[in-house]
Amino acid sequence: NPICDWGVGNLRLVYQRAVVVVVSAGLMLACVAAAGIYLLVISILFQQVEKRIGFARGIPPELLETTGWVWVGFTFVMELMFYVIIPTLAYSFFYVVIPFSGLRAGMAAGLFAFVMGATPALMGLSVRVRLPMPFVLFLLLSVLLKVCGCMTIIALLYSL
């Protein structure tokens, strides 16, 4: 049974067997801010590239959402939650037991999440819905750069 103790800027979980985990709220906020800025820039960049090249050609118009500022905002908030906030919370608890840190830890975590999470789901969807392969590959590349970049930033900030 954990006993929670709220300190100034830290959450300390003390378990009955003297295991202490200290989570820095300030460091978590710095990770969310830095990785969030990276995610915003890379998302805008990929959205512009997608518009210019036209990867969505061949997909029926009734299957595509109209892209406006509301769609961009909603998509960014959703990606911020799954690519930045949840990984920051998880990494803040597990970084003390990961055998390596910094750039290698971030890239390893990002590649693991990409290979085990995004790739099977997107490939399965592309087979069932018959999405054009250039669109699927572009989507896979964007997810790879987003998740690996965010995890690398989080891991680098935790290694400082």
Side-chain angles (χ1 to χ4, degrees), residues 69-131:
W69 287 108
V70 174
W71 179 84
V72 170
F74 179 75
T75 304
F76 176 71
V77 168
M78 184 177 59
E79 287 179 345
L80 183 72
M81 185 173 57
F82 286 110
Y83 294 153
V84 177
I85 296 173
I86 293 172
T88 298
L89 287 171
Y91 197 85
S92 67
F93 283 104
F94 294 117
Y95 81 98
V96 292
V97 295
I98 296 176
F100 43 86
S101 64
L103 184 67
R104 292 187 326 161
M107 290 301 288
L111 286 172
F112 179 77
F114 175 74
V115 169
M116 299 305 287
T119 304
L122 285 174
M123 293 310 290
L125 180 68
S126 72
V127 171
R128 296 195 64 150
V129 180
R130 289 193 207 179
L131 294 172

Side-chain angles (χ1 to χ4, degrees), residues 1-3 6 14 19 29 34 57 72 79 94 112-113 132 135 137 144-145:
N1 294 335
I3 302 167
W6 290 91
V14 181
V19 174
L29 287 175
R57 274 181 278 152
V72 170
E79 287 179 345
F94 294 117
F112 179 77
F135 178 76
L137 293 175
L144 175 68
L145 290 179

Side-chain angles (χ1 to χ4, degrees), residues 23-64:
V23 179
S24 172
L27 185 56
M28 286 173 53
L29 287 175
C31 289
V32 168
I37 290 170
Y38 168 80
L39 182 65
L40 180 64
V41 168
I42 200 88
S43 295
I44 290 171
L45 180 72
F46 269 103
Q47 185 180 15
Q48 293 302 318
V49 169
E50 182 180 352
K51 280 183 184 178
R52 288 187 191 263
I53 295 178
F55 283 116
R57 274 181 278 152
I59 298 176
E62 61 270 4
L63 294 178
L64 292 174

